Amino acid sequence: MASPIGSEASPTLIYDGDCDFCRRCADWIATRLPAGTFVLASQQADLAAVGLSEQQATDAAWWIDTDGAHHRGHRAIAESLRACGGTWSHLGRLLIRPGVSLLAAGVYELIARNRHRLGCKNCLKRTQRGGAAFSD
């Protein structure tokens, strides 16, 4: 199989591997995605190869399509769900519909800003050191 980053053959979900909450979510979706789809912690990915900074990969999940298109945050989740097929793909399509997309973006950002309250000890440590668990 081709390289997970920059491959035309393999879509890839990139998430913050230092975040326990993100890791649990990535594990959940990984079991539902078709074979050949990569789910990588940002710390394992060659971010420069797809034009992402470390900060971007820490701040939000990213879905990289087979054509190299980037989807951030709620759109990354929506694309991941669409790739799962079945009922999950319907939910993914719903998340990017006008109106719903705006709401989904707000919910995603709210969750991202509060990951430290959702069981992520690493995010809590980052917050306690004076930095936000999610930066603008």
Side-chain angles (χ1 to χ4, degrees), residues 51-111:
L52 293 176
S53 70
E54 189 175 319
Q55 187 64 49
Q56 287 173 309
T58 299
D59 288 348
W62 290 85
W63 178 263
I64 313 298
D65 282 336
T66 56
D67 63 1
H70 293 60
H71 305 275
R72 179 194 182 279
H74 80 287
R75 292 184 181 278
I77 303 309
E79 292 299 325
S80 298
L81 290 169
R82 288 179 64 187
C84 290
T87 302
W88 297 115
S89 68
H90 298 299
L91 178 59
R93 279 191 216 87
L94 177 65
L95 290 175
I96 57 174
R97 293 197 65 193
V100 176
S101 182
L102 186 61
L103 178 63
V107 169
Y108 183 92
E109 295 301 324
L110 180 66
I111 290 170

Coordinates of all heavy atoms in Angstrom, one line a residue, residues 51-111:
G51 N 1.2 19.8 4.0 CA 1.1 21.2 4.2 C 0.4 21.6 5.5 O -0.3 22.6 5.6
L52 N 0.5 20.8 6.5 CA 0.0 21.1 7.9 C 1.1 21.4 8.8 O 2.2 20.8 8.8 CB -0.8 19.9 8.4 CG -2.1 19.6 7.7 CD1 -2.7 18.3 8.4 CD2 -3.1 20.7 7.7
S53 N 0.9 22.4 9.7 CA 1.8 22.7 10.8 C 1.5 21.8 12.0 O 0.3 21.3 12.1 CB 1.7 24.2 11.2 OG 0.5 24.4 11.8
E54 N 2.4 21.7 12.9 CA 2.1 21.0 14.1 C 1.0 21.6 14.9 O 0.1 20.9 15.4 CB 3.4 20.9 15.0 CG 3.3 20.0 16.2 CD 4.6 19.9 16.9 OE1 5.7 19.9 16.3 OE2 4.6 19.9 18.1
Q55 N 0.9 22.9 14.9 CA -0.2 23.6 15.6 C -1.5 23.3 15.0 O -2.5 23.1 15.7 CB 0.1 25.1 15.6 CG -0.9 25.9 16.5 CD -0.8 25.5 18.0 OE1 0.3 25.5 18.5 NE2 -1.9 25.2 18.6
Q56 N -1.6 23.3 13.7 CA -2.9 23.0 13.0 C -3.3 21.6 13.4 O -4.5 21.4 13.6 CB -2.7 23.1 11.5 CG -2.6 24.5 11.0 CD -2.3 24.5 9.5 OE1 -1.3 23.9 9.0 NE2 -3.1 25.3 8.7
A57 N -2.4 20.7 13.4 CA -2.7 19.3 13.7 C -3.1 19.1 15.2 O -3.8 18.1 15.5 CB -1.6 18.3 13.3
T58 N -2.6 19.9 16.0 CA -2.9 19.9 17.5 C -4.3 20.5 17.7 O -5.1 20.0 18.5 CB -1.9 20.6 18.3 OG1 -0.6 20.0 18.1 CG2 -2.2 20.6 19.8
D59 N -4.6 21.5 16.9 CA -5.9 22.3 17.1 C -7.1 21.6 16.6 O -8.2 21.8 17.1 CB -5.8 23.6 16.4 CG -4.9 24.6 17.2 OD1 -4.5 24.3 18.3 OD2 -4.6 25.6 16.6
A60 N -7.0 20.7 15.6 CA -8.1 20.1 15.0 C -7.8 18.8 14.3 O -6.6 18.6 13.9 CB -8.8 21.1 14.0
A61 N -8.8 18.0 14.0 CA -8.6 16.8 13.2 C -8.6 17.2 11.8 O -9.2 18.3 11.4 CB -9.8 15.9 13.5
W62 N -7.9 16.5 10.9 CA -7.9 16.7 9.5 C -8.1 15.5 8.7 O -7.6 14.4 9.1 CB -6.5 17.3 9.1 CG -6.2 18.6 9.7 CD1 -5.7 18.9 10.9 CD2 -6.4 19.9 9.0 NE1 -5.7 20.3 11.1 CE2 -6.1 20.9 9.9 CE3 -6.9 20.2 7.7 CZ2 -6.2 22.2 9.6 CZ3 -7.0 21.5 7.4 CH2 -6.6 22.5 8.3
W63 N -8.9 15.6 7.7 CA -9.1 14.5 6.7 C -8.5 14.9 5.4 O -8.7 16.0 4.9 CB -10.6 14.3 6.5 CG -11.0 13.2 5.5 CD1 -11.3 13.4 4.2 CD2 -11.1 11.8 5.7 NE1 -11.5 12.2 3.6 CE2 -11.4 11.2 4.5 CE3 -10.9 11.0 6.9 CZ2 -11.6 9.9 4.4 CZ3 -11.1 9.7 6.7 CH2 -11.4 9.1 5.5
I64 N -7.6 14.1 4.9 CA -6.9 14.3 3.6 C -7.5 13.3 2.6 O -7.4 12.1 2.8 CB -5.4 14.1 3.7 CG1 -4.8 14.8 5.0 CG2 -4.7 14.5 2.4 CD1 -5.0 16.3 5.0
D65 N -8.2 13.9 1.6 CA -8.8 13.0 0.6 C -7.8 12.4 -0.3 O -6.6 12.8 -0.3 CB -9.7 13.9 -0.3 CG -11.1 14.2 0.3 OD1 -11.5 13.5 1.2 OD2 -11.7 15.2 -0.1
T66 N -8.2 11.5 -1.1 CA -7.3 10.8 -2.0 C -6.8 11.8 -3.1 O -5.7 11.6 -3.6 CB -8.1 9.7 -2.8 OG1 -9.2 10.2 -3.4 CG2 -8.4 8.6 -1.8
D67 N -7.5 12.9 -3.3 CA -7.0 13.9 -4.2 C -6.1 15.0 -3.5 O -5.7 16.0 -4.2 CB -8.1 14.5 -5.0 CG -9.1 15.3 -4.2 OD1 -8.9 15.4 -2.9 OD2 -10.1 15.8 -4.7
G68 N -5.9 14.8 -2.2 CA -5.1 15.8 -1.5 C -5.9 16.9 -0.8 O -5.3 17.8 -0.2
A69 N -7.2 17.0 -1.0 CA -8.0 18.0 -0.4 C -8.0 17.9 1.1 O -8.0 16.8 1.6 CB -9.4 18.0 -0.9
H70 N -7.9 19.0 1.8 CA -7.9 19.1 3.2 C -9.3 19.5 3.8 O -9.9 20.4 3.3 CB -6.9 20.1 3.7 CG -5.5 19.8 3.4 ND1 -5.0 19.6 2.1 CD2 -4.4 19.6 4.2 CE1 -3.7 19.3 2.2 NE2 -3.3 19.3 3.4
H71 N -9.7 18.7 4.8 CA -10.9 19.1 5.5 C -10.6 19.2 7.0 O -10.0 18.2 7.6 CB -12.0 18.0 5.3 CG -12.3 17.7 3.9 ND1 -13.1 18.5 3.1 CD2 -11.7 16.8 3.0 CE1 -13.2 18.1 1.9 NE2 -12.3 17.0 1.8
R72 N -10.9 20.3 7.6 CA -10.6 20.6 9.0 C -11.8 20.4 9.9 O -12.9 20.7 9.6 CB -10.1 22.0 9.1 CG -9.7 22.4 10.5 CD -9.5 23.9 10.6 NE -9.1 24.3 12.0 CZ -9.9 24.4 13.0 NH1 -11.2 24.2 12.8 NH2 -9.5 24.8 14.2
G73 N -11.5 20.0 11.2 CA -12.5 20.0 12.2 C -13.8 19.2 11.9 O -13.7 18.0 11.6
H74 N -14.9 19.9 12.0 CA -16.2 19.1 11.8 C -16.3 18.5 10.4 O -16.9 17.5 10.2 CB -17.4 20.0 12.1 CG -17.8 20.9 11.0 ND1 -17.1 22.1 10.7 CD2 -18.8 20.9 10.2 CE1 -17.7 22.7 9.7 NE2 -18.7 22.0 9.4
R75 N -15.7 19.2 9.4 CA -15.7 18.7 8.1 C -14.8 17.4 8.0 O -15.1 16.5 7.2 CB -15.2 19.7 7.1 CG -16.2 20.8 6.9 CD -15.8 21.9 5.9 NE -16.8 22.9 5.8 CZ -17.9 22.9 5.1 NH1 -18.3 21.8 4.5 NH2 -18.8 23.9 5.1
A76 N -13.7 17.3 8.7 CA -12.9 16.1 8.8 C -13.7 15.0 9.4 O -13.7 13.8 8.9 CB -11.6 16.4 9.6
I77 N -14.5 15.3 10.4 CA -15.3 14.2 11.0 C -16.4 13.8 10.0 O -16.6 12.6 9.9 CB -15.9 14.7 12.3 CG1 -14.8 15.2 13.3 CG2 -16.8 13.7 12.9 CD1 -13.7 14.2 13.6
A78 N -17.0 14.8 9.4 CA -18.0 14.4 8.4 C -17.5 13.6 7.3 O -18.1 12.6 6.9 CB -18.6 15.7 7.8
E79 N -16.3 13.9 6.7 CA -15.7 13.1 5.7 C -15.4 11.7 6.2 O -15.5 10.7 5.4 CB -14.5 13.8 5.1 CG -14.8 15.1 4.3 CD -15.8 14.9 3.1 OE1 -15.7 13.8 2.5 OE2 -16.6 15.8 2.9
S80 N -14.9 11.6 7.4 CA -14.6 10.3 8.0 C -15.8 9.4 8.1 O -15.8 8.3 7.7 CB -14.0 10.5 9.4 OG -12.8 11.2 9.3
L81 N -16.9 10.0 8.5 CA -18.2 9.3 8.7 C -18.7 8.9 7.3 O -19.2 7.8 7.1 CB -19.2 10.2 9.4 CG -18.9 10.4 10.9 CD1 -19.9 11.4 11.5 CD2 -19.1 9.1 11.6
R82 N -18.6 9.8 6.3 CA -19.0 9.5 5.0 C -18.2 8.3 4.4 O -18.8 7.4 3.7 CB -18.8 10.7 4.0 CG -19.8 11.8 4.3 CD -19.6 12.9 3.4 NE -19.8 12.6 2.0 CZ -19.6 13.4 1.0 NH1 -19.1 14.6 1.2 NH2 -19.8 13.0 -0.2
A83 N -16.9 8.2 4.7 CA -16.1 7.1 4.3 C -16.5 5.8 4.9 O -16.2 4.7 4.4 CB -14.6 7.4 4.5
C84 N -17.1 5.8 6.1 CA -17.5 4.6 6.8 C -18.6 3.8 6.1 O -18.7 2.6 6.2 CB -18.0 4.9 8.2 SG -16.7 5.5 9.3
G85 N -19.4 4.6 5.3 CA -20.5 3.9 4.6 C -21.7 3.7 5.5 O -21.7 4.1 6.7
G86 N -22.8 3.2 4.9 CA -24.0 2.9 5.7 C -24.6 4.1 6.3 O -24.6 5.2 5.8
T87 N -25.2 3.9 7.5 CA -25.8 4.9 8.3 C -24.9 6.0 8.6 O -25.2 7.2 8.6 CB -26.4 4.3 9.6 OG1 -27.4 3.3 9.2 CG2 -27.2 5.4 10.3
W88 N -23.6 5.7 8.9 CA -22.6 6.7 9.2 C -22.4 7.7 8.1 O -22.2 8.9 8.3 CB -21.3 6.1 9.7 CG -21.5 5.3 10.9 CD1 -21.3 3.9 11.0 CD2 -21.9 5.7 12.2 NE1 -21.6 3.5 12.3 CE2 -21.9 4.6 13.0 CE3 -22.2 6.9 12.7 CZ2 -22.3 4.6 14.4 CZ3 -22.6 7.0 14.1 CH2 -22.6 5.9 14.9
S89 N -22.5 7.2 6.9 CA -22.3 8.1 5.7 C -23.4 9.1 5.6 O -23.2 10.3 5.2 CB -22.1 7.4 4.4 OG -23.3 6.7 4.1
H90 N -24.6 8.7 6.0 CA -25.7 9.7 6.0 C -25.5 10.8 7.0 O -25.8 12.0 6.8 CB -27.1 9.0 6.3 CG -27.4 8.0 5.2 ND1 -27.6 8.3 3.9 CD2 -27.6 6.6 5.3 CE1 -27.9 7.2 3.2 NE2 -27.9 6.1 4.1
L91 N -25.0 10.4 8.2 CA -24.7 11.4 9.2 C -23.6 12.3 8.7 O -23.7 13.6 8.9 CB -24.3 10.7 10.5 CG -23.9 11.6 11.7 CD1 -25.1 12.6 12.1 CD2 -23.5 10.8 12.9
G92 N -22.6 11.8 8.1 CA -21.5 12.6 7.6 C -22.0 13.6 6.6 O -21.6 14.8 6.6
R93 N -22.9 13.2 5.7 CA -23.5 14.1 4.7 C -24.3 15.2 5.4 O -24.3 16.4 5.0 CB -24.4 13.4 3.7 CG -23.6 12.7 2.6 CD -24.5 12.2 1.5 NE -24.0 11.0 0.9 CZ -24.2 9.8 1.4 NH1 -25.0 9.6 2.4 NH2 -23.7 8.7 0.8
L94 N -25.1 14.8 6.4 CA -25.9 15.8 7.2 C -25.0 16.9 7.8 O -25.4 18.0 7.8 CB -26.7 15.1 8.2 CG -27.5 15.9 9.1 CD1 -28.6 16.6 8.3 CD2 -28.1 15.1 10.3
L95 N -23.9 16.5 8.3 CA -23.0 17.4 9.0 C -22.4 18.5 8.1 O -22.0 19.6 8.6 CB -21.8 16.7 9.7 CG -22.2 15.8 10.9 CD1 -21.0 15.1 11.4 CD2 -22.8 16.7 12.0
I96 N -22.5 18.4 6.8 CA -21.9 19.4 5.9 C -23.0 20.1 5.2 O -22.7 20.9 4.3 CB -20.9 18.8 5.0 CG1 -21.4 17.7 4.1 CG2 -19.6 18.4 5.7 CD1 -20.4 17.2 3.1
R97 N -24.3 19.9 5.5 CA -25.4 20.6 4.9 C -25.4 22.0 5.4 O -25.1 22.2 6.6 CB -26.7 19.9 5.1 CG -26.8 18.5 4.4 CD -28.1 18.0 4.3 NE -28.9 18.9 3.4 CZ -30.2 18.8 3.3 NH1 -30.9 17.9 4.0 NH2 -30.8 19.7 2.5
P98 N -25.8 23.0 4.6 CA -25.9 24.4 5.0 C -26.8 24.4 6.3 O -27.8 23.7 6.4 CB -26.5 25.1 3.9 CG -26.1 24.3 2.7 CD -26.1 22.8 3.1
G99 N -26.5 25.2 7.2 CA -27.2 25.4 8.4 C -26.8 24.4 9.5 O -26.3 24.7 10.5
V100 N -26.8 23.1 9.1 CA -26.3 22.1 10.0 C -24.8 22.2 10.2 O -24.3 22.0 11.2 CB -26.7 20.6 9.5 CG1 -26.1 19.6 10.4 CG2 -28.2 20.5 9.4
S101 N -24.1 22.5 9.1 CA -22.7 22.7 9.1 C -22.3 23.7 10.1 O -21.3 23.6 10.8 CB -22.2 23.0 7.7 OG -20.8 23.1 7.7
L102 N -23.0 24.8 10.1 CA -22.7 25.9 11.0 C -22.8 25.4 12.5 O -21.9 25.7 13.3 CB -23.6 27.1 10.8 CG -23.3 28.4 11.5 CD1 -21.9 28.9 11.3 CD2 -24.3 29.4 11.2
L103 N -23.9 24.7 12.7 CA -24.1 24.2 14.1 C -23.0 23.1 14.4 O -22.4 23.2 15.5 CB -25.5 23.5 14.2 CG -25.8 22.9 15.5 CD1 -25.8 23.9 16.6 CD2 -27.2 22.2 15.4
A104 N -22.7 22.3 13.5 CA -21.7 21.2 13.7 C -20.3 21.9 13.9 O -19.5 21.4 14.8 CB -21.6 20.3 12.5
A105 N -20.0 23.0 13.2 CA -18.7 23.7 13.4 C -18.7 24.2 14.8 O -17.6 24.1 15.5 CB -18.6 24.8 12.4
G106 N -19.7 24.8 15.3 CA -19.8 25.3 16.7 C -19.6 24.2 17.7 O -18.9 24.4 18.7
V107 N -20.3 23.1 17.5 CA -20.2 22.0 18.5 C -18.8 21.5 18.5 O -18.2 21.2 19.5 CB -21.2 20.9 18.2 CG1 -20.9 19.6 19.0 CG2 -22.6 21.4 18.4
Y108 N -18.2 21.3 17.3 CA -16.8 20.8 17.2 C -15.8 21.7 18.0 O -15.0 21.3 18.7 CB -16.3 20.7 15.7 CG -15.0 20.1 15.6 CD1 -14.8 18.8 15.5 CD2 -13.8 20.9 15.7 CE1 -13.5 18.2 15.4 CE2 -12.6 20.4 15.6 CZ -12.4 19.1 15.5 OH -11.1 18.5 15.4
E109 N -16.0 23.0 17.7 CA -15.1 24.0 18.4 C -15.3 24.0 19.9 O -14.3 24.1 20.7 CB -15.3 25.4 17.9 CG -14.9 25.5 16.4 CD -13.4 25.2 16.1 OE1 -12.5 25.5 16.9 OE2 -13.2 24.7 15.0
L110 N -16.5 23.8 20.4 CA -16.8 23.8 21.8 C -16.1 22.5 22.4 O -15.5 22.6 23.5 CB -18.3 23.7 22.0 CG -18.8 23.6 23.5 CD1 -18.4 24.9 24.2 CD2 -20.3 23.4 23.5
I111 N -16.3 21.4 21.7 CA -15.6 20.2 22.2 C -14.1 20.3 22.2 O -13.4 20.0 23.2 CB -16.1 19.0 21.4 CG1 -17.6 18.7 21.7 CG2 -15.2 17.8 21.7 CD1 -18.2 17.6 20.8

